Amino acid sequence: MALVSFAMDYTITLCNKARLWLVKDLMNHVGLQFLAWTSLPVFLVLFSAGFVHVIAPQAIGSGIPEMKTILRGVVLKEYLTFRTLIAKVVGLTATLGSGMPLGKEGPFVHIASIVATLLTKLVTSFQGIYANESRNSEMLAAACAVGVACCFGSPIGGVLFSIEVTSVYFAVRNYWRGFFAAVCGAVIFRLLSIWFEDEETIVAVFRTGFKMDFPYDPQELVLFALIGVCCGLGGALYVYLHRRYVLWMRGNKRLTKFLQKNRFIYPFMISFLISSLTFPYGPGMFQAADITTHTQIEILFSNYTWAKGIDEMTVDEYDHIKHWMDPYTKSIFINLTVYILSTFFLSILASTLPVPTGVLIPSFKVGAAFGRLVGEAMHVWFPEGVRYGSQISYILPGGYATVGAAAFSGAVTHTISISVIVFEMTGQVTHCVPVLVAVIISNFVAGMLQPSCYDSIILIKKLPYLPDIIPSSSGAYNLFVENFMVKDVKYIWYGMSYRELKETLKEGRKLKGFPLVDNPNQMILLGSIQRMELISAIEKHIGKDRRLAEAAIRRKEEMEKRKREELERAEVEEKRRLQELQNNQAEPGNQDEEGGSGHSKARRPSRFAVSTVDEKEAKAASALQLPDLNSPAMKALAQLSLQPKKSILKKNNFTIHGFAHASNSPVSSPYQTVSGTGERWRNTVQSMQQMFRRGSNWTVASRASSGWDFGNEYMGSPLTGRKTPKRVDLTYEEQRDWELQEMEKPVNFGELHIDPAPFQLVEKSNLLKVHSLFSMLGVNLAYVTAIGRLIGVVGLKELREAIEGANAGGAGAKKKEDLHQHQPPQSPVKDKSSAASKQLEVSIESGDPSQVSESDAEDAMLER
């Protein structure tokens, strides 16, 4: 992280110096200077917006609100990935290099969290302990501290800031881990500045030189407290205007639709407007626009006064103060006032750009300028200092600037740790008490009026994060779970069919889990099952593998039935032919002898020799009995007898495996006579030539021509010898009928993974206790039971609405009808008209992206 931070700072500095060089040293024409001043920021902002939109839109914005949500236990998809890291780093570098009034503290927290997540995934392959969810949250908590430490070089303030901003309940065991990582990051970050920026030693980022003996008078504490009040009001106004502007943009449907179709128009308009208003030879001459942000803050923290004549200034002082002097009246108060107002409003506009943004540095600059304004005014009113007894304490406007910067940024972020960050950034603790007093007062004032900027963004984006309960709210003790729970629960039960399970999943499309009860009448809660587990069970029950197995069984049964029928027909035919032979043998033989003598004279001479048989062999042959009809030989004989008779001198192409064409067969030869072996050798050579000529083009279709019979179960290449099963599927009608039959079978929950102990609440738990349990344990959903019976469910959406109602005085609390009756929910088989919207269907818009189903493919499967 230190390397990333230093590389980004170096690139941002180069971009800012190049912009100033184009305006000051390259051109002398005002029009060309204006073009150069505005073109580079517009180009960088458009590049950042396009790059982030294409690579990872999750990189837009600060990052701290989302990290608060993630550390609370909610999983935000694609938020901590490598693509988001690249988009965040490149987009933030381009945005800050453009000179927009934005900061990098929030994006750096996001970047550090992504790096920690990627390192955790890398180490998980070696050590499985890091795959634990609790260890992952510890890594993220330490990463938030490292992000702040590498941004400002403040390890102590970074750890405290991460605890205040991102954690509701902080584990003490993470304290030393965060400190160790933050110190390592901050030290390396400052060492890199020594190696590459010619620093002499490790120094503070904005080093100050306030005197240590009497830095302020005790009477000035009243002014510091007033600065805290004013900064608290200004911070609340800043958060309010930002939220109202964003909501106005979103509420204007026509404008929103137009900007969605033309994504680059809004970044172009805002970046061009801000660049035009900060042009150094135009309005920018009243805003110290000809120096960088880092230089502005260093000059604001300087320990010498600006409100004096030019003759009284040294050369170095004049080089610094001339950027803040009105070119017409030479007054610093006009420039400071314009600088405060312009940075205040332009940073609100810039923070709405679709690029990585931060708000801590702009608020830091506004507070520093306001404190400097008050300090310079005090120096004008009390040029000789403030007398306390015999001691005279001179006014240090730089100290007022430090107090104002801490107070305003603390009011915007609602943090006390910003005071520690200021101490580490300036390198001095001389104004420790004034800073703490102003920060505490500003936090109190801003907290009474508006939420922090991070909580405001959470409200705008509707992220699933619980607001805090106001301590003075008495409704938190009088509001119970039964008052805001959801009673229409989508549940599953033992004995339900797959069809009923599918209907339940379709009614609760956005639910991530379902409670399991014993039956719809008793409603005894037995556990919960995840949605993906139920989807997998249905897919396994009627999926492709199961269907193909059923088709194979049916095919096998059909083949066995067909073989039995063929054998029965063959037996019947053989019996008929044998009966005919017996009848022919029983006829008198004299007719044959007469007919034979009449035609003996006209017979052609036979080519075959006729030999005689002795009497013993003739008697033995006559003594033979009739063969067995079920023998294989007789079956083959009967099969042959069914075919048409051919002359013995002709080539017979019929085999027991079917008809084979001699011209296409690679292995079988046609019927051969006793004419010699030369023709057999020639046919064999031809068959081998045909087989090698085909090579790999041998197909299953040629098995009939070759006379090889592989059956219907196996098909493959006769050359390789590999046999692959032929998978026969059901027809559409058979598949539909089979699925209808299978969906009526009961679900076997014994094969599924059941959570036997889901988080449960009793109906009389008050709101304060529920809020503490949800915040401490990171729970997203809890089932409400009464003596073991499921009566409702509570999620983040319902709990957030109840807390908001309690904070508002109970007027907005969510009340349910018939609170004294808790009838069990109707079975989905009996009541199909129950509205699915009453169930806990939490989404991004309603507050919980973790409840969204993992894939859209399951909806298509349920619709089938």
Side-chain angles (χ1 to χ4, degrees), residues 591-640:
Q591 295 180 1
D592 295 338
E593 295 177 358
E594 294 177 357
S597 62
H599 295 282
S600 60
K601 298 179 180 179
R603 180 184 299 174
R604 291 178 57 188
S606 176
R607 295 173 56 192
F608 300 95
V610 180
S611 62
T612 60
V613 183
D614 56 1
E615 293 182 358
K616 294 181 179 182
E617 293 179 356
K619 290 180 181 180
S622 62
L624 292 175
Q625 298 179 357
L626 292 174
D628 187 7
L629 299 178
N630 295 326
S631 63
M634 292 306 297
K635 292 180 179 179
L637 180 61
Q639 195 75 3
L640 285 171

Side-chain angles (χ1 to χ4, degrees), residues 265-508:
I265 290 182
Y266 184 75
F268 173 80
M269 294 175 58
I270 296 298
S271 59
F272 182 78
L273 175 63
I274 295 176
S275 301
S276 301
L277 294 179
T278 57
F279 180 54
Y281 298 100
M285 66 177 63
F286 299 95
Q287 307 171 34
D290 54 345
I291 55 178
T292 62
T293 298
H294 189 275
T295 307
Q296 290 175 358
I297 297 178
E298 282 185 340
I299 298 176
L300 288 173
F301 285 169
S302 58
N303 59 347
Y304 51 84
T305 180
W306 299 355
K308 57 184 178 180
I310 299 178
D311 298 335
E312 302 176 0
M313 300 179 185
T314 63
V315 176
D316 292 336
E317 292 178 354
Y318 178 76
D319 289 339
H320 292 165
I321 300 174
K322 68 179 181 179
H323 304 289
W324 300 91
M325 297 178 63
D326 180 12
Y328 301 105
T329 61
K330 303 299 179 180
S331 173
I332 61 172
F333 296 101
I334 295 178
N335 279 30
L336 286 174
T337 304
V338 174
Y339 180 82
I340 293 172
L341 296 178
S342 63
T343 307
F344 185 90
F345 291 103
L346 294 182
S347 62
I348 293 177
L349 291 177
S351 62
T352 59
L353 291 172
V355 294
T357 59
V359 297
L360 186 62
I361 293 298
S363 61
F364 200 82
K365 294 195 300 181
V366 172
F370 177 74
R372 189 79 194 195
L373 180 65
V374 175
E376 295 294 342
M378 286 292 296
H379 185 272
V380 172
W381 295 333
F382 302 95
E384 301 298 331
V386 179
R387 180 180 295 275
Y388 183 75
S390 60
Q391 297 291 336
I392 297 178
S393 176
Y394 293 97
I395 302 296
L396 292 178
Y400 284 82
T402 305
V403 173
F408 193 87
S409 55
V412 173
T413 59
H414 286 197
T415 56
I416 306 297
S417 58
I418 195 68
S419 57
V420 182
I421 294 177
V422 170
F423 299 152
E424 293 180 286
M425 289 173 62
T426 58
Q428 284 188 309
V429 292
T430 55
H431 289 73
C432 176
V433 175
V435 168
L436 289 175
V437 169
V439 169
I440 292 175
I441 294 177
S442 65
N443 267 272
F444 174 76
V445 174
M448 294 297 293
L449 299 176
Q450 290 293 325
S452 67
C453 61
Y454 308 122
D455 293 337
S456 178
I457 295 175
I458 288 176
L459 295 176
I460 293 172
K461 293 185 176 181
K462 298 182 179 179
L463 296 175
Y465 189 82
L466 295 178
D468 294 330
I469 298 178
I470 298 177
S472 61
S473 175
S474 61
Y477 300 93
N478 301 326
L479 195 61
F480 302 99
V481 173
E482 59 182 357
N483 302 125
F484 55 87
M485 69 179 182
V486 175
K487 296 184 179 180
D488 185 12
V489 186
K490 296 295 181 296
Y491 60 94
I492 55 179
W493 66 93
Y494 274 102
M496 70 183 309
S497 62
Y498 282 95
R499 179 181 58 82
E500 296 170 341
L501 177 60
K502 187 181 77 170
E503 294 296 330
T504 303
L505 292 173
K506 290 176 64 177
E507 291 178 1

Side-chain angles (χ1 to χ4, degrees), residues 67-248:
M67 287 310 305
K68 293 182 69 172
T69 305
I70 292 175
L71 287 174
R72 208 215 149 282
V74 179
V75 178
L76 298 182
K77 297 180 182 180
E78 303 296 330
Y79 195 78
L80 299 177
T81 60
F82 182 73
R83 292 173 58 91
T84 309
L85 174 64
I86 298 299
K88 199 82 172 182
V89 172
V90 176
L92 181 62
T93 304
T95 302
L96 297 182
S98 65
M100 294 292 105
L102 295 171
K104 64 175 184 177
E105 174 260 346
F108 255 81
V109 171
H110 187 192
I111 292 172
S113 301
I114 298 175
V115 172
T117 302
L118 296 178
L119 292 178
T120 302
K121 292 181 180 179
L122 179 63
V123 178
T124 301
S125 59
F126 302 100
Q127 297 181 3
I129 186 174
Y130 288 95
N132 190 0
E133 184 178 355
S134 62
R135 183 57 62 91
N136 188 25
S137 63
E138 293 175 2
M139 291 286 290
L140 292 178
C144 294
V146 173
V148 179
C150 293
C151 184
F152 301 118
S154 55
I156 301 176
V159 174
L160 298 178
F161 187 84
S162 66
I163 294 175
E164 278 191 291
V165 171
T166 60
S167 301
V168 179
Y169 291 92
F170 187 79
V172 180
R173 64 178 180 272
N174 299 334
Y175 204 58
W176 73 269
R177 298 187 179 102
F179 264 118
F180 178 77
V183 168
C184 292
V187 170
I188 294 176
F189 175 70
R190 300 311 300 161
L191 287 176
L192 290 174
S193 63
I194 297 177
W195 296 337
F196 295 98
E197 292 186 353
D198 297 332
E199 292 284 349
E200 296 180 357
T201 183
I202 296 179
V203 295
V205 179
F206 303 109
R207 183 173 54 177
T208 57
F210 304 139
K211 60 182 181 179
M212 301 295 295
D213 48 358
F214 293 103
Y216 61 91
D217 191 88
Q219 301 179 57
E220 296 180 66
L221 291 176
V222 179
L223 289 176
F224 293 140
L226 292 178
I227 291 177
V229 173
C230 296
C231 289
L233 295 175
L237 180 63
Y238 184 89
V239 174
Y240 174 77
L241 292 178
H242 174 266
R243 185 172 67 254
R244 295 307 306 173
Y245 176 72
V246 174
L247 294 178
W248 173 81

Side-chain angles (χ1 to χ4, degrees), residues 651 665-688:
K651 295 179 180 180
S665 175
V667 293
S668 64
S669 61
Y671 182 83
Q672 302 293 334
T673 63
V674 293
S675 58
T677 60
E679 189 174 356
R680 288 199 302 269
W681 173 255
R682 183 171 59 254
N683 292 335
T684 302
V685 173
Q686 292 177 356
S687 300
M688 295 297 293

Side-chain angles (χ1 to χ4, degrees), residues 738-759:
W738 174 75
E739 286 185 356
L740 290 177
Q741 295 176 2
E742 294 294 324
M743 292 297 288
E744 294 299 330
K745 294 182 179 180
V747 181
N748 185 10
F749 289 105
E751 299 179 353
L752 305 180
H753 178 70
I754 303 176
D755 182 9
F759 194 79

